[in-house]
Short mmCIF file of all heavy atoms in Angstrom, two decimals:
data_model
loop_
_atom_site.label_atom_id
_atom_site.label_comp_id
_atom_site.label_asym_id
_atom_site.label_seq_id
_atom_site.Cartn_x
_atom_site.Cartn_y
_atom_site.Cartn_z
N PHE A 114 -119.22 16.29 -127.53
CA PHE A 114 -120.21 16.20 -126.47
C PHE A 114 -119.57 15.81 -125.15
O PHE A 114 -118.55 15.15 -125.09
CB PHE A 114 -121.37 15.26 -126.83
CG PHE A 114 -121.18 13.80 -126.53
CD1 PHE A 114 -121.27 13.31 -125.23
CD2 PHE A 114 -120.95 12.90 -127.56
CE1 PHE A 114 -121.11 11.96 -124.96
CE2 PHE A 114 -120.78 11.55 -127.30
CZ PHE A 114 -120.86 11.07 -125.99
N ASP A 115 -120.22 16.30 -124.09
CA ASP A 115 -119.80 16.02 -122.72
C ASP A 115 -121.06 15.88 -121.88
O ASP A 115 -122.14 16.31 -122.29
CB ASP A 115 -118.91 17.14 -122.19
CG ASP A 115 -118.41 16.88 -120.77
OD1 ASP A 115 -117.88 15.78 -120.53
OD2 ASP A 115 -118.58 17.76 -119.91
N SER A 116 -120.90 15.31 -120.69
CA SER A 116 -122.06 15.18 -119.81
C SER A 116 -122.45 16.52 -119.20
O SER A 116 -123.51 16.63 -118.59
CB SER A 116 -121.77 14.17 -118.69
OG SER A 116 -120.64 14.57 -117.95
N GLY A 117 -121.60 17.53 -119.35
CA GLY A 117 -121.92 18.83 -118.76
C GLY A 117 -121.03 19.93 -119.29
O GLY A 117 -120.88 20.09 -120.50
N VAL A 118 -120.38 20.65 -118.36
CA VAL A 118 -119.59 21.82 -118.73
C VAL A 118 -118.10 21.54 -118.85
O VAL A 118 -117.36 22.32 -119.46
CB VAL A 118 -119.80 22.97 -117.71
CG1 VAL A 118 -121.25 23.39 -117.68
CG2 VAL A 118 -119.34 22.54 -116.31
N GLY A 119 -117.62 20.44 -118.26
CA GLY A 119 -116.19 20.17 -118.26
C GLY A 119 -115.59 20.07 -119.64
O GLY A 119 -114.43 20.46 -119.85
N GLY A 120 -116.36 19.58 -120.60
CA GLY A 120 -115.87 19.43 -121.96
C GLY A 120 -115.52 20.73 -122.64
O GLY A 120 -114.92 20.74 -123.72
N LEU A 121 -115.87 21.86 -122.01
CA LEU A 121 -115.49 23.15 -122.57
C LEU A 121 -113.97 23.31 -122.63
O LEU A 121 -113.45 24.04 -123.48
CB LEU A 121 -116.10 24.29 -121.74
CG LEU A 121 -117.62 24.45 -121.86
CD1 LEU A 121 -118.13 25.45 -120.84
CD2 LEU A 121 -118.02 24.87 -123.28
N TYR A 138 -121.15 21.94 -130.04
CA TYR A 138 -120.94 21.36 -128.71
C TYR A 138 -122.28 21.03 -128.08
O TYR A 138 -123.21 21.85 -128.09
CB TYR A 138 -120.20 22.37 -127.83
CG TYR A 138 -119.88 21.88 -126.42
CD1 TYR A 138 -118.60 21.44 -126.10
CD2 TYR A 138 -120.84 21.89 -125.41
CE1 TYR A 138 -118.29 21.01 -124.81
CE2 TYR A 138 -120.54 21.45 -124.13
CZ TYR A 138 -119.27 21.01 -123.84
OH TYR A 138 -118.97 20.59 -122.57
N LEU A 139 -122.37 19.84 -127.50
CA LEU A 139 -123.56 19.43 -126.75
C LEU A 139 -123.17 19.09 -125.33
O LEU A 139 -122.34 18.21 -125.09
CB LEU A 139 -124.22 18.21 -127.41
CG LEU A 139 -125.36 17.56 -126.61
CD1 LEU A 139 -126.54 18.52 -126.43
CD2 LEU A 139 -125.81 16.26 -127.27
N GLY A 140 -123.75 19.80 -124.36
CA GLY A 140 -123.58 19.47 -122.96
C GLY A 140 -124.86 18.85 -122.42
O GLY A 140 -125.90 19.50 -122.38
N ASP A 141 -124.79 17.59 -122.01
CA ASP A 141 -125.99 16.88 -121.55
C ASP A 141 -126.23 17.20 -120.08
O ASP A 141 -126.21 16.32 -119.20
CB ASP A 141 -125.81 15.38 -121.77
CG ASP A 141 -127.12 14.61 -121.60
OD1 ASP A 141 -128.18 15.25 -121.47
OD2 ASP A 141 -127.06 13.36 -121.59
N THR A 142 -126.49 18.45 -119.81
CA THR A 142 -126.59 18.95 -118.43
C THR A 142 -127.82 18.44 -117.69
O THR A 142 -127.86 18.51 -116.45
CB THR A 142 -126.61 20.49 -118.45
OG1 THR A 142 -127.51 20.94 -119.47
CG2 THR A 142 -125.22 21.03 -118.77
N ALA A 143 -128.80 17.91 -118.41
CA ALA A 143 -129.98 17.37 -117.74
C ALA A 143 -129.70 16.02 -117.09
O ALA A 143 -130.41 15.62 -116.15
CB ALA A 143 -131.15 17.23 -118.73
N ARG A 144 -128.66 15.32 -117.55
CA ARG A 144 -128.43 13.95 -117.09
C ARG A 144 -127.05 13.78 -116.44
O ARG A 144 -126.62 12.65 -116.19
CB ARG A 144 -128.61 12.98 -118.26
CG ARG A 144 -129.98 13.12 -118.91
CD ARG A 144 -130.28 12.06 -119.94
NE ARG A 144 -129.49 12.18 -121.15
CZ ARG A 144 -129.77 11.57 -122.30
NH1 ARG A 144 -130.84 10.78 -122.38
NH2 ARG A 144 -129.01 11.73 -123.36
N VAL A 145 -126.36 14.88 -116.18
CA VAL A 145 -125.09 14.82 -115.48
C VAL A 145 -125.32 14.45 -114.01
O VAL A 145 -126.34 14.83 -113.45
CB VAL A 145 -124.36 16.19 -115.61
CG1 VAL A 145 -125.10 17.27 -114.88
CG2 VAL A 145 -122.92 16.10 -115.21
N PRO A 146 -124.45 13.68 -113.34
CA PRO A 146 -123.19 13.13 -113.86
C PRO A 146 -123.40 11.75 -114.48
O PRO A 146 -124.33 11.03 -114.10
CB PRO A 146 -122.33 13.04 -112.61
CG PRO A 146 -123.32 12.71 -111.52
CD PRO A 146 -124.58 13.45 -111.88
N TYR A 147 -122.52 11.38 -115.40
CA TYR A 147 -122.57 10.05 -115.99
C TYR A 147 -121.88 9.01 -115.11
O TYR A 147 -122.12 7.81 -115.23
CB TYR A 147 -121.87 10.05 -117.36
CG TYR A 147 -122.70 10.62 -118.49
CD1 TYR A 147 -123.88 11.33 -118.27
CD2 TYR A 147 -122.28 10.45 -119.81
CE1 TYR A 147 -124.61 11.85 -119.31
CE2 TYR A 147 -123.01 10.97 -120.86
CZ TYR A 147 -124.17 11.67 -120.61
OH TYR A 147 -124.90 12.18 -121.66
N LYS A 150 -123.90 6.33 -113.30
CA LYS A 150 -124.84 5.55 -114.09
C LYS A 150 -124.26 4.19 -114.48
O LYS A 150 -123.05 3.98 -114.48
CB LYS A 150 -125.24 6.32 -115.36
CG LYS A 150 -125.72 7.76 -115.15
CD LYS A 150 -126.97 7.84 -114.32
CE LYS A 150 -127.61 9.22 -114.34
NZ LYS A 150 -126.77 10.32 -113.83
N TYR A 158 -127.15 7.10 -123.30
CA TYR A 158 -127.00 8.55 -123.32
C TYR A 158 -126.00 8.97 -124.39
O TYR A 158 -126.23 9.93 -125.15
CB TYR A 158 -126.51 9.06 -121.96
CG TYR A 158 -127.52 8.99 -120.83
CD1 TYR A 158 -127.15 9.41 -119.56
CD2 TYR A 158 -128.81 8.51 -121.02
CE1 TYR A 158 -128.05 9.37 -118.50
CE2 TYR A 158 -129.71 8.45 -119.97
CZ TYR A 158 -129.33 8.88 -118.71
OH TYR A 158 -130.21 8.83 -117.66
N ASN A 162 -126.61 11.32 -127.72
CA ASN A 162 -125.85 12.55 -127.93
C ASN A 162 -125.14 12.53 -129.29
O ASN A 162 -125.15 13.52 -130.02
CB ASN A 162 -124.82 12.73 -126.82
CG ASN A 162 -125.44 12.95 -125.46
OD1 ASN A 162 -126.58 13.35 -125.35
ND2 ASN A 162 -124.67 12.68 -124.41
N GLU A 257 -115.93 24.96 -111.00
CA GLU A 257 -117.21 25.51 -111.43
C GLU A 257 -117.63 26.74 -110.63
O GLU A 257 -118.40 27.57 -111.13
CB GLU A 257 -118.30 24.43 -111.35
CG GLU A 257 -118.12 23.32 -112.36
CD GLU A 257 -119.35 22.42 -112.49
OE1 GLU A 257 -120.38 22.73 -111.86
OE2 GLU A 257 -119.26 21.42 -113.22
N HIS A 291 -112.49 19.06 -116.03
CA HIS A 291 -112.46 20.27 -115.19
C HIS A 291 -111.05 20.63 -114.74
O HIS A 291 -110.77 21.79 -114.44
CB HIS A 291 -113.32 20.06 -113.93
CG HIS A 291 -114.79 20.10 -114.16
ND1 HIS A 291 -115.47 19.09 -114.79
CD2 HIS A 291 -115.73 21.03 -113.81
CE1 HIS A 291 -116.76 19.38 -114.81
NE2 HIS A 291 -116.94 20.56 -114.25
N PHE A 350 -123.59 26.01 -129.54
CA PHE A 350 -123.63 25.26 -128.29
C PHE A 350 -125.06 24.85 -127.96
O PHE A 350 -125.98 25.68 -128.06
CB PHE A 350 -123.05 26.09 -127.14
CG PHE A 350 -121.59 26.38 -127.27
CD1 PHE A 350 -121.14 27.38 -128.11
CD2 PHE A 350 -120.66 25.63 -126.56
CE1 PHE A 350 -119.79 27.64 -128.24
CE2 PHE A 350 -119.31 25.89 -126.70
CZ PHE A 350 -118.87 26.89 -127.54
N TYR A 351 -125.22 23.58 -127.58
CA TYR A 351 -126.51 23.06 -127.13
C TYR A 351 -126.36 22.51 -125.73
O TYR A 351 -125.32 21.94 -125.37
CB TYR A 351 -126.99 21.92 -128.04
CG TYR A 351 -127.27 22.31 -129.46
CD1 TYR A 351 -126.30 22.13 -130.45
CD2 TYR A 351 -128.51 22.83 -129.84
CE1 TYR A 351 -126.55 22.46 -131.78
CE2 TYR A 351 -128.77 23.16 -131.16
CZ TYR A 351 -127.79 22.98 -132.12
OH TYR A 351 -128.05 23.31 -133.43
N VAL A 352 -127.40 22.65 -124.92
CA VAL A 352 -127.46 22.02 -123.61
C VAL A 352 -128.84 21.39 -123.45
O VAL A 352 -129.80 21.81 -124.08
CB VAL A 352 -127.22 23.02 -122.46
CG1 VAL A 352 -125.79 23.52 -122.49
CG2 VAL A 352 -128.20 24.18 -122.51
N THR A 353 -128.90 20.39 -122.58
CA THR A 353 -130.19 19.73 -122.35
C THR A 353 -130.91 20.27 -121.11
O THR A 353 -132.04 19.87 -120.83
CB THR A 353 -130.00 18.21 -122.21
OG1 THR A 353 -129.02 17.93 -121.20
CG2 THR A 353 -129.55 17.61 -123.54
N ASP A 354 -130.28 21.20 -120.39
CA ASP A 354 -130.91 21.84 -119.23
C ASP A 354 -129.98 22.94 -118.73
O ASP A 354 -128.79 22.98 -119.07
CB ASP A 354 -131.14 20.81 -118.11
CG ASP A 354 -132.11 21.32 -117.04
OD1 ASP A 354 -132.83 22.31 -117.31
OD2 ASP A 354 -132.14 20.73 -115.95
N ALA A 355 -130.51 23.84 -117.91
CA ALA A 355 -129.73 24.84 -117.17
C ALA A 355 -128.82 25.66 -118.07
O ALA A 355 -127.61 25.77 -117.82
CB ALA A 355 -128.94 24.15 -116.06
N ALA A 356 -129.40 26.26 -119.10
CA ALA A 356 -128.60 27.04 -120.06
C ALA A 356 -127.92 28.23 -119.40
O ALA A 356 -126.77 28.55 -119.71
CB ALA A 356 -129.48 27.50 -121.22
N ALA A 357 -128.61 28.89 -118.48
CA ALA A 357 -128.03 30.07 -117.83
C ALA A 357 -126.79 29.70 -117.01
O ALA A 357 -125.78 30.41 -117.03
CB ALA A 357 -129.07 30.76 -116.96
N ARG A 358 -126.87 28.59 -116.29
CA ARG A 358 -125.71 28.16 -115.50
C ARG A 358 -124.57 27.75 -116.41
O ARG A 358 -123.40 28.04 -116.13
CB ARG A 358 -126.09 27.00 -114.57
CG ARG A 358 -124.96 26.59 -113.66
CD ARG A 358 -125.34 25.45 -112.70
NE ARG A 358 -124.29 25.22 -111.73
CZ ARG A 358 -123.18 24.54 -111.97
NH1 ARG A 358 -122.99 23.99 -113.17
NH2 ARG A 358 -122.25 24.39 -111.04
N PHE A 359 -124.88 27.06 -117.51
CA PHE A 359 -123.85 26.67 -118.47
C PHE A 359 -123.12 27.90 -118.99
O PHE A 359 -121.89 27.93 -119.06
CB PHE A 359 -124.48 25.91 -119.63
CG PHE A 359 -123.51 25.41 -120.66
CD1 PHE A 359 -122.94 24.16 -120.56
CD2 PHE A 359 -123.14 26.22 -121.74
CE1 PHE A 359 -122.04 23.70 -121.50
CE2 PHE A 359 -122.24 25.78 -122.69
CZ PHE A 359 -121.69 24.52 -122.56
N ALA A 360 -123.87 28.95 -119.33
CA ALA A 360 -123.26 30.17 -119.83
C ALA A 360 -122.36 30.81 -118.77
O ALA A 360 -121.27 31.32 -119.09
CB ALA A 360 -124.35 31.15 -120.28
N ARG A 361 -122.81 30.77 -117.51
CA ARG A 361 -122.00 31.36 -116.43
C ARG A 361 -120.69 30.61 -116.26
O ARG A 361 -119.62 31.22 -116.13
CB ARG A 361 -122.79 31.34 -115.12
CG ARG A 361 -122.02 31.91 -113.93
CD ARG A 361 -122.80 31.81 -112.63
NE ARG A 361 -122.98 30.43 -112.20
CZ ARG A 361 -122.05 29.71 -111.58
NH1 ARG A 361 -120.84 30.22 -111.35
NH2 ARG A 361 -122.30 28.47 -111.21
N VAL A 362 -120.76 29.28 -116.25
CA VAL A 362 -119.54 28.49 -116.07
C VAL A 362 -118.63 28.63 -117.30
O VAL A 362 -117.40 28.68 -117.18
CB VAL A 362 -119.88 27.02 -115.78
CG1 VAL A 362 -118.61 26.17 -115.68
CG2 VAL A 362 -120.68 26.89 -114.49
N ALA A 363 -119.24 28.70 -118.49
CA ALA A 363 -118.43 28.90 -119.70
C ALA A 363 -117.63 30.18 -119.60
O ALA A 363 -116.45 30.23 -120.00
CB ALA A 363 -119.34 28.93 -120.92
N LEU A 374 -126.30 29.74 -127.98
CA LEU A 374 -126.56 28.71 -126.97
C LEU A 374 -128.04 28.37 -127.00
O LEU A 374 -128.89 29.25 -126.88
CB LEU A 374 -126.16 29.20 -125.58
CG LEU A 374 -126.45 28.27 -124.40
CD1 LEU A 374 -125.75 26.94 -124.54
CD2 LEU A 374 -126.06 28.95 -123.08
N GLU A 375 -128.36 27.08 -127.14
CA GLU A 375 -129.74 26.64 -127.30
C GLU A 375 -130.02 25.44 -126.41
O GLU A 375 -129.20 24.51 -126.32
CB GLU A 375 -129.98 26.28 -128.77
CG GLU A 375 -131.40 25.89 -129.12
CD GLU A 375 -131.57 25.60 -130.59
OE1 GLU A 375 -130.66 25.90 -131.38
OE2 GLU A 375 -132.64 25.05 -130.95
N ALA A 376 -131.16 25.44 -125.75
CA ALA A 376 -131.60 24.29 -124.95
C ALA A 376 -132.39 23.34 -125.83
O ALA A 376 -133.28 23.76 -126.58
CB ALA A 376 -132.44 24.76 -123.77
N VAL A 377 -132.06 22.04 -125.74
CA VAL A 377 -132.69 21.04 -126.60
C VAL A 377 -132.96 19.78 -125.80
O VAL A 377 -132.47 19.60 -124.69
CB VAL A 377 -131.79 20.68 -127.81
CG1 VAL A 377 -131.62 21.88 -128.73
CG2 VAL A 377 -130.43 20.15 -127.33
N GLU A 378 -133.73 18.87 -126.38
CA GLU A 378 -133.87 17.50 -125.87
C GLU A 378 -133.25 16.57 -126.90
O GLU A 378 -133.45 16.73 -128.10
CB GLU A 378 -135.34 17.15 -125.66
CG GLU A 378 -135.99 17.89 -124.50
CD GLU A 378 -137.38 17.36 -124.17
OE1 GLU A 378 -137.84 16.45 -124.89
OE2 GLU A 378 -137.97 17.86 -123.21
N VAL A 379 -132.48 15.60 -126.41
CA VAL A 379 -131.80 14.69 -127.33
C VAL A 379 -132.26 13.24 -127.17
O VAL A 379 -131.91 12.39 -127.97
CB VAL A 379 -130.27 14.74 -127.13
CG1 VAL A 379 -129.75 16.15 -127.38
CG2 VAL A 379 -129.88 14.25 -125.75
N TRP A 380 -133.01 12.95 -126.12
CA TRP A 380 -133.32 11.57 -125.81
C TRP A 380 -134.54 11.08 -126.58
O TRP A 380 -135.40 11.85 -126.99
CB TRP A 380 -133.56 11.39 -124.31
CG TRP A 380 -134.38 12.51 -123.74
CD1 TRP A 380 -135.74 12.67 -123.77
CD2 TRP A 380 -133.86 13.65 -123.07
NE1 TRP A 380 -136.09 13.83 -123.16
CE2 TRP A 380 -134.96 14.46 -122.72
CE3 TRP A 380 -132.57 14.07 -122.73
CZ2 TRP A 380 -134.81 15.66 -122.04
CZ3 TRP A 380 -132.43 15.26 -122.06
CH2 TRP A 380 -133.54 16.04 -121.72
N ARG A 386 -136.99 9.41 -117.36
CA ARG A 386 -137.60 10.73 -117.43
C ARG A 386 -139.14 10.66 -117.42
O ARG A 386 -139.80 11.63 -117.74
CB ARG A 386 -137.14 11.47 -118.70
CG ARG A 386 -135.67 11.82 -118.66
CD ARG A 386 -135.28 12.61 -119.87
NE ARG A 386 -136.08 13.83 -119.99
CZ ARG A 386 -135.83 14.96 -119.35
NH1 ARG A 386 -134.80 15.04 -118.52
NH2 ARG A 386 -136.59 16.02 -119.52
#
Side-chain angles (χ1 to χ4, degrees):
F114 86 76
D115 181 51
S116 58
V118 299
L121 290 171
Y138 181 101
L139 172 64
D141 192 9
T142 46
R144 304 188 290 195
V145 66
Y147 281 12
K150 309 297 192 300
Y158 289 179
N162 295 338
E257 292 192 5
H291 286 72
F350 293 79
Y351 296 96
V352 293
T353 54
D354 195 16
R358 184 179 188 280
F359 182 91
R361 179 183 67 79
V362 176
L374 176 60
E375 184 178 348
V377 294
E378 290 189 358
V379 300
W380 42 81
R386 293 184 57 83

